[in-house]
Amino acid sequence: MGGVLAIGFLLCNLLLLFDTSFSHPLCIDSRAPSTLSSPLKFCSYNETACCNSTEDLQIQKQFQTMNISNSGCASLLKSVLCARCDPFSGELFTVDSVPRPVPLLCNSTVSANSSQSIQEVNDFCSNIWDTCQNVSILNSPFAPSLQGQAGLPVKSNVSELTKLWQSKADFCNAFGGASSDGSVCFGGEPVTLNDSGTPIPPHGLCLEKIGNGSYLNMVAHPDGSNRAFFSSQQGKIWLATIPEEGSGTAMELDESSPFVDLTDEVHFDTAFGMMGMAFHPNFAQNGRFFASFNCDKEKWPGCTGRCSCNSDVNCDPSKIGSDNGAQPCQYQTVIAEYSANGTASQPSLATSAKPSEVRRIFTMGLPFTAHHGGQILFGPEDGYLYHMMGDGGGTGDPYNFSQNKKSLLGKIMRLDVDNVLSEAEIDKLVLWGNYSIPKDNPFSEDPELRPEIWALGLRNPWRCSFDSARPSYFICADVGQDLHEEVDVITKGGNYGWSFYEGPYVFTPPKSLGGNTSRKPTDPIFPIMGYNHSEVNKKEGSASITGGYIYRSETDPCMFGRYVYGDLYAGAIWAGSEDPENSGNFSSSKIPFSCGRDSPIACSSVPDSSLPALGYIFSFGEDNRKDIFILASSGVYRVVRPSRCNYTCSKENVTAVATPGPNGSPSSHATWLSSNPSKNVVLLFSSLVLLLLSFV
């Protein structure tokens, strides 16, 4: 009996491993496609592509050396080679993490619910076989690998497909595949996805207030429970318990008993303080966590580091002058590691941590007193630490730090904090602290880049997040200057244009740039969403974006899959939708928001308005159930069921909300269901199998 149950449980768990991949424009080298100034001459791409003119010429030369005599076959092979330029080439040429010599060829009709365009209905793999099977192809890309499957090809001379493969079935088994709900295949033309039209925005966003404190950061506890860490700009971190949605109770947080107090090191002012925190993915076992903050070297001896204005970037600190009474690099940005080890029997049970640094990860002096970002995040798939850094301040980035590849200002960095280097190695690499460099950072392809850099051309990234359902969607909000606030999908080596562009608009700096003036970016990546200052805060005369999350909770099913973000001045919240799904094409619209009458803590209203008085929207947060929270100056608010604010959502009644397990934390199945709604059927089937087996 026990063996039967074990086998049944194993089979059910194997079912849970099957996951649907998701498509979005991404090149083979993990970079975003580039916007073409003019169409490619050989390959049929004219707007965005993963090739430039040089690579287009290389593909043309490769095609010519194949010496294909049959015109029909030549046309098909040309399209196959040119698929490397397709904006979806990253997925076409990589299946199950295995690189392929040719794209995945469509070899069956597209399913009715596929995201891929109906243009791919042709059995393209069979078409290639039927047309080219007896045609000589020099150095055929269809040569079988040593394993006899579609892998890296062995060198071949003039060959026909019939000499390489026994049958069409064998050929298409190796090179073919169908377009499913979440993946794409190549059908002879640039990949296109179905366009269902502009999505209808939700009727409104319903909030409940569960806390009165003002916090800058929220991080779900890595143990998967219903707890989360909150930090203040002053430098304290608290551990809180999040109540059930609709329970009528506020979150449990004792302001008098912080998890850790770092206020002795943190310099707090309007634009300074503790800007970020991150808990190691294995925190429940190793107790490691990290804080990102600013310090004043005149007040704390431990605040010391190189100035970001230095000879490497042709910047002289003595010529900058003071800013708001501060000398250049008087203030520093710091990432330090701390530990909860030794404060409880195991780190996951710790309710306090030691305030002494375990290791200084990063220290860098700031040229001015603004635009220094400071958020830190661990990548959900690679485990590396991402550090968001603004351009350092000054109107129009006066020293062009954002475009300077030798400067870390105006960048997103990607650091390995698990592999410790010796002091000699750190000095040799001229690093800014104690970390190592991931080998696949963009510097491996662009030696001009500082090795820490993952992306560049940002002004002041203020709140980034990874989509919990599709971690390749790394989305950041970037604060604008005079005109536009933007939302970007961050990709490896991506250049987001500042200060040559402010969002989609050409930016003209008020004076000539100092430093090493880089040339204008040739392939800037423009925002997926955003808004002009004229749309909001007319009284203040300015705006400042606060980035959020792609909503993945089942609490409000009408918000599912939408990117939620807001403005600092709390006058507007937007929901961004992607259409076609997984295409990378977004549109956004303002959505009404209000507070439920049954909110655990009563919400006050803005005078002469129906809006709840949030004050300032500092940040957004996400817990382990994927519910989204707004961290505002007036308190902590959670997005709840729309019916609690009398908003209509036709999907609300058919969706169950995850409930906590007996220990006060979400059960593993509840957490999994909440974050993976597409697998409900598998979960129900698995539960049924276990139920039947229990009666055997």
Side-chain angles (χ1 to χ4, degrees), residues 320-391:
I320 289 183
S322 63
D323 181 34
N324 293 324
Q327 295 302 310
C329 296
Q330 175 181 334
Y331 300 117
Q332 312 266 320
T333 185
V334 170
I335 301 175
E337 178 178 340
Y338 300 88
S339 176
N341 287 331
T343 62
S345 59
Q346 56 188 26
S348 62
L349 300 176
T351 57
S352 64
K354 302 169 185 176
S356 54
E357 287 187 33
V358 173
R359 179 165 57 126
R360 177 64 60 87
I361 302 296
F362 183 92
T363 312
M364 184 174 71
L366 301 167
F368 304 105
T369 59
H371 310 170
H372 42 81
Q375 184 187 12
I376 50 177
L377 290 172
F378 277 100
E381 291 191 315
D382 56 28
Y384 294 128
L385 188 71
Y386 290 77
H387 182 202
M388 277 50 84
M389 176 61 66
D391 66 9

Side-chain angles (χ1 to χ4, degrees), residues 215 228-232 236-240 253-255 257-259:
Y215 310 103
F229 294 96
F230 291 81
S231 67
S232 68
K236 293 181 181 181
I237 298 175
W238 292 269
L239 179 57
L253 186 151
D254 184 357
E255 287 273 2
S257 181
F259 180 77

Side-chain angles (χ1 to χ4, degrees), residues 141-224:
F142 298 114
S145 70
L146 295 177
Q147 290 76 29
Q149 295 296 324
L152 298 176
V154 296
K155 292 184 178 180
S156 63
N157 295 318
V158 176
S159 298
E160 298 86 35
L161 297 183
T162 51
K163 293 181 179 179
L164 296 171
W165 300 91
Q166 293 184 356
S167 66
K168 180 195 297 186
D170 288 341
F171 174 76
C172 287
N173 182 54
F175 295 101
S179 171
S180 63
D181 293 342
S183 63
V184 295
C185 59
F186 187 69
E189 297 179 1
V191 172
T192 59
L193 302 183
N194 288 320
D195 189 344
S196 58
T198 303
I200 300 174
H203 288 129
L205 198 66
C206 187
L207 308 175
E208 68 172 359
K209 187 177 182 180
I210 62 170
N212 283 316
S214 177
Y215 310 103
L216 208 58
N217 299 280
M218 172 185 175
V219 176
H221 200 296
D223 68 355

Side-chain angles (χ1 to χ4, degrees), residues 461-667:
W462 190 251
R463 296 318 182 229
C464 306
S465 64
F466 289 92
D467 180 6
S468 59
R470 300 171 296 180
S472 60
Y473 277 61
F474 179 26
I475 301 181
C476 285
D478 194 20
V479 179
Q481 181 164 296
D482 300 322
L483 177 63
H484 191 78
E485 305 294 307
E486 66 183 86
V487 178
D488 301 300
V489 173
I490 303 298
T491 59
K492 177 181 178 180
N495 189 329
Y496 295 86
W498 177 255
S499 61
F500 288 95
Y501 294 93
E502 183 182 2
Y505 304 104
V506 173
F507 179 81
T508 303
K511 59 182 180 179
S512 61
L513 300 176
N516 295 339
T517 304
S518 303
R519 60 188 178 87
K520 182 179 179 179
T522 56
D523 53 353
I525 300 173
F526 293 108
I528 58 169
M529 289 177 280
Y531 56 94
N532 288 344
H533 288 201
S534 59
E535 297 178 39
V536 293
N537 297 318
K538 293 181 175 61
K539 293 181 180 179
E540 289 87 353
S542 64
S544 181
I545 195 170
T546 300
Y549 290 82
I550 292 183
Y551 192 87
R552 293 299 177 189
S553 170
E554 287 296 290
T555 302
D556 183 348
C558 287
M559 284 298 301
F560 191 85
R562 300 174 187 268
Y563 180 74
V564 182
Y565 63 104
D567 189 80
L568 172 68
Y569 297 100
I573 293 177
W574 288 262
S577 300
E578 186 183 22
D579 191 71
E581 186 178 358
N582 308 315
S583 66
N585 297 320
F586 283 82
S587 60
S588 64
S589 57
K590 288 184 189 178
I591 54 173
F593 61 97
S594 58
C595 230
R597 294 181 180 178
D598 57 351
S599 177
I601 300 175
C603 302
S604 57
S605 299
V606 176
D608 301 321
S609 170
S610 60
L611 293 177
L614 302 182
Y616 297 96
I617 298 178
F618 292 140
S619 190
F620 287 81
E622 183 184 59
D623 68 4
N624 283 316
R625 289 193 183 96
K626 309 308 174 189
D627 277 331
I628 285 182
F629 298 74
I630 296 175
L631 309 186
S633 58
S634 65
V636 178
Y637 300 79
R638 172 167 53 187
V639 177
V640 297
R641 290 174 285 118
S643 59
R644 291 178 59 184
C645 293
N646 295 322
Y647 292 131
T648 302
C649 174
S650 60
K651 302 176 183 179
E652 182 178 345
N653 293 332
V654 298
T655 304
V657 178
T659 56
N663 61 354
S665 63
S667 67

Side-chain angles (χ1 to χ4, degrees), residues 387-404:
H387 182 202
M388 277 50 84
M389 176 61 66
D391 66 9
T395 302
D397 190 10
Y399 286 84
N400 200 29
F401 290 129
S402 287
Q403 289 297 322
N404 194 317

Side-chain angles (χ1 to χ4, degrees), residues 20 56 87 120 156 175 267 274 319 356 472-473 539 661 680:
T20 303
D56 182 55
E120 313 295 1
S156 63
F175 295 101
H267 173 71
M274 182 184 289
K319 296 181 180 179
S356 54
S472 60
Y473 277 61
K539 293 181 180 179
N680 292 1

